[in-house]
Amino acid sequence: MNYRKFGNTDLSVSEIGFGAWGIGGPAMVGDVAIGWGVVDDNTSIKALRRSNDLGINFYDTADFYGFGHSEELIGKVFGNRDNVIIASKVGHRVEDEKILLNYTKKHILKSCEESLKRLKRDKIDYYQLHSAKLEHLQKGECVEAMEELKSESKIRYWGISLNTFNPYPEAEYLIERNLADGFQLVLNIINQRSLKLIQTANEKGYGVIARIPLQFGLLTGKFNKDTTFDKNDHRYFRLKPEFLSELLAAIDDVWEVAAKYNVDKTTFALSFILNHIGVSTVIPGIKTSKQAEKNTKPIITIIEDDMNLIHRLFEEKFNELVDKMV
């Protein structure tokens, strides 16, 4: 495992991290799935331990994943170990079977204390506003709360998990004011909208976490046009059959490029992300020990011509597909 400096912080993070959304379990808000279907806690615990054995030291979770269950599992396995870096998020809550955003200072301070208890830690290494919008940042309460938590050593560093489709407004607001330490954003072969932001973030000393690197499993090569998902799996509404077929057809050109590197599709997809200067870590979702092993295979160098080709495919084909995503 290779390790990278997280922006201007003193964190050294494994270039492959552990996305802990899935181990939260099949949580529902009304009839909307916010999890990845049924999981077994014993399997999740083994995955956490195996990933650490393989060199992963960065674990990304949120108080919303399984309504705290993901944090609880991480706390059970790692507790207050100082050689494990924990990132969590705050700002989502449920009321009357609806997902609401709450970035008031009161909510953030309270939620941080609750996360610390579930994680069994004295401090959270990297705390993130979970998809806060520009209006929340402008009000200032959330920024004030994060700075207060940092001054009290409840958290070491903080940042924001940015919008999937347009990450720029909130990031630019923070960069212009020299606020925060890092950004979590979407980057994968299909959704490359954040590339210019990653370059700017690197120049300004921000750490970058790349999420959804495998586009909900699509870029592992394990799906076909007949793949379906249970209703308690959020991919049930994100990857409907007709759209899944369209996506599968669109990425055929990518697999033609990947074939000459003699690696599996997962490794190629993760390597594409980590070949971009400025990405600190990439967080594929991991639910089993087998997935931990598959996601930690050595990263390859993709030649410039092939990187440029994949960038062109985004401009010519993939970007319009991103517009269809929900």
Side-chain angles (χ1 to χ4, degrees):
M1 179 64 67
N2 294 319
Y3 298 85
R4 302 185 178 195
K5 193 171 183 290
F6 191 78
N8 286 339
T9 76
D10 64 356
L11 301 177
S12 178
V13 298
S14 51
E15 63 182 8
I16 301 293
F18 189 112
W21 181 5
I23 65 172
M28 303 286 293
V29 178
D31 59 357
V32 176
I34 61 167
W36 291 65
V38 176
V39 292
D40 174 75
D41 283 354
N42 289 328
T43 300
S44 299
I45 287 170
K46 289 177 182 177
L48 287 165
R49 289 174 175 158
R50 181 62 178 143
S51 69
N52 194 241
D53 290 341
L54 293 164
I56 290 179
N57 75 345
F58 184 82
Y59 295 81
D60 179 84
T61 184
D63 61 4
F64 199 59
Y65 296 166
F67 305 128
H69 190 58
S70 176
E71 288 183 328
E72 289 171 349
L73 289 173
I74 290 172
K76 182 175 182 178
V77 173
F78 298 121
N80 210 32
R81 284 173 50 179
D82 59 10
N83 61 345
V84 174
I85 297 168
I86 304 298
S88 195
K89 311 181 197 72
V90 62
H92 288 190
R93 65 184 180 87
V94 174
E95 185 176 302
D96 297 329
E97 296 192 342
K98 293 181 180 179
I99 300 172
L100 302 177
L101 302 180
N102 189 338
Y103 295 101
T104 62
K105 182 176 181 180
K106 180 180 178 180
H107 177 73
I108 292 171
L109 298 182
K110 179 176 180 290
S111 296
C112 184
E113 294 291 347
E114 293 169 349
S115 288
L116 285 167
K117 289 178 182 177
R118 287 189 291 266
L119 290 164
K120 301 184 187 301
R121 293 181 76 84
D122 295 332
K123 60 175 68 71
I124 296 172
D125 298 295
Y126 181 64
Y127 202 38
Q128 301 157 91
L129 299 168
H130 200 170
S131 305
K133 299 184 184 302
L134 184 60
E135 63 190 78
H136 301 121
L137 299 178
Q138 291 171 332
K139 287 179 180 177
E141 275 197 62
C142 57
V143 173
E144 184 179 339
M146 297 300 244
E147 292 291 348
E148 183 173 314
L149 288 168
K150 189 173 180 179
S151 69
E152 294 176 350
S153 296
K154 299 286 180 64
I155 64 175
R156 294 175 67 187
Y157 303 103
W158 71 274
I160 182 172
S161 182
L162 295 163
N163 181 274
T164 296
F165 307 109
N166 181 15
Y168 289 88
E170 292 77 19
E172 290 169 352
Y173 180 90
L174 293 173
I175 290 171
E176 288 169 2
R177 290 158 180 79
N178 197 30
L179 292 168
D181 303 289
F183 301 115
Q184 181 172 147
L185 43 75
V186 175
L187 176 61
N188 60 51
I189 287 170
I190 296 171
N191 186 347
Q192 303 176 35
R193 290 184 174 180
S194 62
L195 284 178
K196 290 181 181 178
L197 173 56
I198 291 169
Q199 181 179 348
T200 302
N202 181 56
E203 293 169 354
K204 299 293 185 178
Y206 287 83
V208 170
I209 305 164
R211 74 174 185 271
I212 317 182
L214 303 174
Q215 194 56 52
F216 304 126
L218 179 74
L219 296 171
T220 65
K222 65 183 180 182
F223 297 162
N224 59 51
K225 63 182 179 61
D226 297 317
T227 300
T228 58
F229 304 96
D230 294 333
K231 288 187 177 181
N232 62 3
D233 186 325
H234 77 284
R235 291 174 294 185
Y236 176 80
F237 67 87
R238 292 189 184 275
L239 294 176
K240 292 185 179 296
E242 184 177 338
F243 187 44
L244 177 59
S245 294
E246 190 174 1
L247 288 166
L248 288 168
I251 58 178
D252 278 346
D253 291 341
V254 172
W255 302 141
E256 288 184 17
V257 174
K260 66 184 179 184
Y261 288 91
N262 197 32
V263 295
D264 60 57
K265 292 175 179 178
T266 296
T267 300
F268 186 82
L270 296 175
S271 296
F272 168 77
I273 297 166
L274 288 165
N275 271 241
H276 290 94
I277 295 172
V279 175
S280 310
T281 185
V282 56
I283 50 169
I286 296 175
K287 296 192 290 183
T288 67
S289 295
K290 185 176 181 179
Q291 287 178 349
E293 292 163 0
K294 187 170 185 177
N295 289 335
T296 51
K297 291 181 180 179
I299 296 302
I300 62 167
T301 298
I302 302 172
I303 63 171
E304 185 176 0
D305 284 350
D306 289 338
M307 290 292 288
N308 290 338
L309 171 58
I310 298 172
H311 291 152
R312 287 199 302 274
L313 286 172
F314 168 70
E315 297 294 342
E316 295 168 3
K317 296 171 63 175
F318 304 153
N319 194 25
E320 64 183 35
L321 290 174
V322 175
D323 285 332
K324 298 181 179 181
M325 294 178 182
V326 293

